[in-house]
Amino acid sequence: HKDLFDTAGIRTTVGSEFFKDRTPRSDATVVRRLAEAGVVALGKTNMNEFAAGTSGTNAFFGDAHNPWDLARSPGGSSSGTGAAIAAGLCLGGTGSDTGGSIRVPASWNNITGIRPSFGRVSLAGVYPRAYSLDCAGPLARTVADVALLLQAMAGYDAGYKDSTRTPGEDFARGLTAGIRGLKIGVIDNYTYRDVDPDVAQAVQAATRTLEGLGAAVVPVRIPMLAGPLEYSSLFNILLYEFNQILGNEYRASPNKKLFGPIVQANIARGETVSREFYERSLRERAQQKAAFREAFKQVDALVTPTMPTVAPLLSASGDTYDRGRQFALPFSWVGVPSVSVPCGFDAKGLPIGLQIVGDDMQEALLLRIAAAYEAATPFHRLRPPVFTTATL
């Protein structure tokens, strides 16, 4: 479990020295549901402090490393979960995703992960990053394992205010149904914009595979994605909420060194975001969601790269990591589900992920598409240089 899921009697530090001795008395809903389903919890995984960032670096507990190249990032903030699965330490694990924190490690570690629809999985007992954007979901080495884990995690929870009341669904049931007759959209002036060549080539090859499986790959225009996106504005909304969550404790602490540099910078920036801007953005969000979902009248799903780059060096600048927001934050903002599945490697042998995006509550369809693609390609079966086969 990512170390922001409460585990009764076991430290849950949220990756921070500030919480180094924090031991919850009860399990998060997700932890309890997985245990009831028979999952064996092996331990807690490292993460970006307070889920702040996608690098996998942590000033207090140490950095997580990518098993495909130990000098590189495993992605974050669910970094330890992604690296542990890729290295064969476990079959699957939990992550949380505010602006990409499940999808990024899935892409850079050559595994599969799903960010469910907002509210589909309870966040009771999960330390928040941004209330209006947070989701919890599973990561694993196969689509079938992701579906099984999501099956156990999802469901209404009266203890979580944003929990959605949706009928129970078997996410694994349709995995072998194929995708013949589906329409899959490539987004004009977006899917391949500002994407590294090796990544673009891998995603283009993936769309040809989907066509070979009987799907129609068609262009689709989404106005909110066609022009230059205001990622900084979306990120400011996240940071406003993060400041509301942690800011008072941070300001009251006499020892600011208990908080890492990324967290301190996030709070400082969050303090500058006005309530007026935040509330206006939330009012506009409903219209943006409705406009975005018009695309699903034309297609069943959308495809993009999960990330425009392969895993950068752990020492890379923040600007390098910031490029990834373009394929993560917009879908977080409109609250739709998306799955990342392995789709190839660059010239250096570093993994590339394909992101498949669907309409609200369409996780089963996304997993069906991902499973069809996975069955037709070899990428998920390849293992990194650092991999244990002792027990798996």
Side-chain angles (χ1 to χ4, degrees):
H1 291 294
K2 183 177 182 178
D3 201 25
L4 49 58
F5 288 83
D6 283 353
T7 42
I10 300 171
R11 284 195 309 158
T12 301
T13 71
V14 201
S16 176
E17 185 174 8
F18 183 69
F19 278 159
K20 66 179 180 179
D21 297 317
R22 178 177 179 266
T23 304
R25 295 182 179 180
S26 58
D27 287 331
T29 297
V30 160
V31 172
R32 175 179 55 79
R33 285 179 172 171
L34 286 169
E36 290 171 349
V39 166
V40 177
L42 300 177
K44 306 299 289 289
T45 55
N46 199 1
M47 56 180 285
N48 280 79
E49 181 188 11
F50 287 107
T54 60
S55 63
T57 57
N58 187 296
F60 178 62
F61 287 109
D63 301 339
H65 297 262
N66 191 317
W68 290 90
D69 180 343
L70 295 177
R72 293 181 180 270
S73 167
S77 62
S78 308
S79 49
T81 300
I85 295 165
L89 303 180
C90 56
L91 292 170
T94 54
S96 63
D97 188 311
T98 305
S101 291
I102 288 172
R103 293 164 287 170
V104 178
S107 179
W108 287 349
N109 287 287
N110 200 53
I111 61 175
T112 295
I114 188 167
R115 175 196 161 93
S117 304
F118 182 77
R120 184 125 206 196
V121 174
S122 173
L123 293 179
V126 182
Y127 196 89
R129 167 74 161 150
Y131 290 121
S132 71
L133 298 168
D134 288 350
C135 285
L139 298 101
R141 287 201 298 279
T142 68
V143 175
D145 283 351
V146 165
L148 288 172
L149 290 169
L150 182 61
Q151 183 72 33
M153 295 170 69
Y156 176 72
D157 178 12
Y160 172 49
K161 68 179 182 64
D162 291 313
S163 189
T164 53
R165 291 184 180 271
T166 53
E169 194 170 357
D170 185 347
F171 296 114
R173 184 177 180 182
L175 294 184
T176 60
I179 59 172
R180 186 166 300 280
L182 294 183
K183 286 187 177 181
I184 297 176
V186 171
I187 307 166
D188 285 343
N189 195 33
Y190 180 74
T191 290
Y192 298 114
R193 187 173 69 205
D194 190 26
V195 174
D196 286 356
D198 284 349
V199 175
Q201 290 170 15
V203 173
Q204 288 164 348
T207 63
R208 293 193 292 271
T209 298
L210 294 171
E211 286 179 317
L213 294 170
V217 177
V218 299
V220 61
R221 187 175 184 277
I222 301 177
M224 73 170 281
L225 300 178
L229 287 170
E230 289 293 333
Y231 301 114
S232 59
S233 294
L234 294 181
F235 197 54
N236 281 341
I237 294 160
L238 185 161
L239 294 183
Y240 177 91
E241 293 188 353
F242 184 60
N243 180 50
Q244 299 301 306
I245 291 162
L246 184 64
N248 287 341
E249 285 184 282
Y250 169 77
R251 286 182 285 274
S253 173
N255 184 6
K256 299 297 188 289
K257 292 182 179 179
L258 294 175
F259 301 87
I262 296 176
V263 170
Q264 294 198 40
N266 274 195
I267 291 175
R269 182 167 161 184
E271 289 173 335
T272 69
V273 181
S274 70
R275 182 174 179 176
E276 179 185 11
F277 166 83
Y278 173 73
E279 292 180 344
R280 183 175 71 250
S281 298
L282 291 187
R283 288 194 298 271
E284 294 169 351
R285 187 181 190 183
Q287 293 177 325
Q288 292 167 340
K289 285 181 180 181
F292 177 87
R293 289 186 171 126
E294 285 293 308
F296 294 111
K297 294 179 180 178
Q298 307 169 53
V299 295
D300 298 291
L302 304 164
V303 291
T304 75
T306 307
M307 295 293 284
T309 70
V310 295
L313 294 171
L314 280 163
S315 59
S317 69
D319 290 342
T320 300
Y321 288 100
D322 286 349
R323 277 186 67 194
R325 291 180 190 162
Q326 71 188 65
F327 295 125
L329 266 177
F331 304 120
S332 298
W333 178 241
V334 295
V336 296
S338 54
V339 60
S340 177
V341 64
C343 76
F345 296 85
D346 77 347
K348 295 180 179 178
L350 297 170
I352 296 167
L354 173 72
Q355 180 172 227
I356 310 167
V357 182
D359 201 357
D360 198 31
M361 301 299 164
Q362 292 298 308
E363 288 86 353
L365 175 62
L366 296 185
L367 291 167
R368 175 181 150 200
I369 297 169
Y373 176 77
E374 178 188 80
T377 56
F379 307 119
H380 70 287
R381 293 192 292 271
L382 301 179
R383 299 290 178 252
V386 178
F387 185 81
T388 177
T389 56
T391 58
L392 300 177

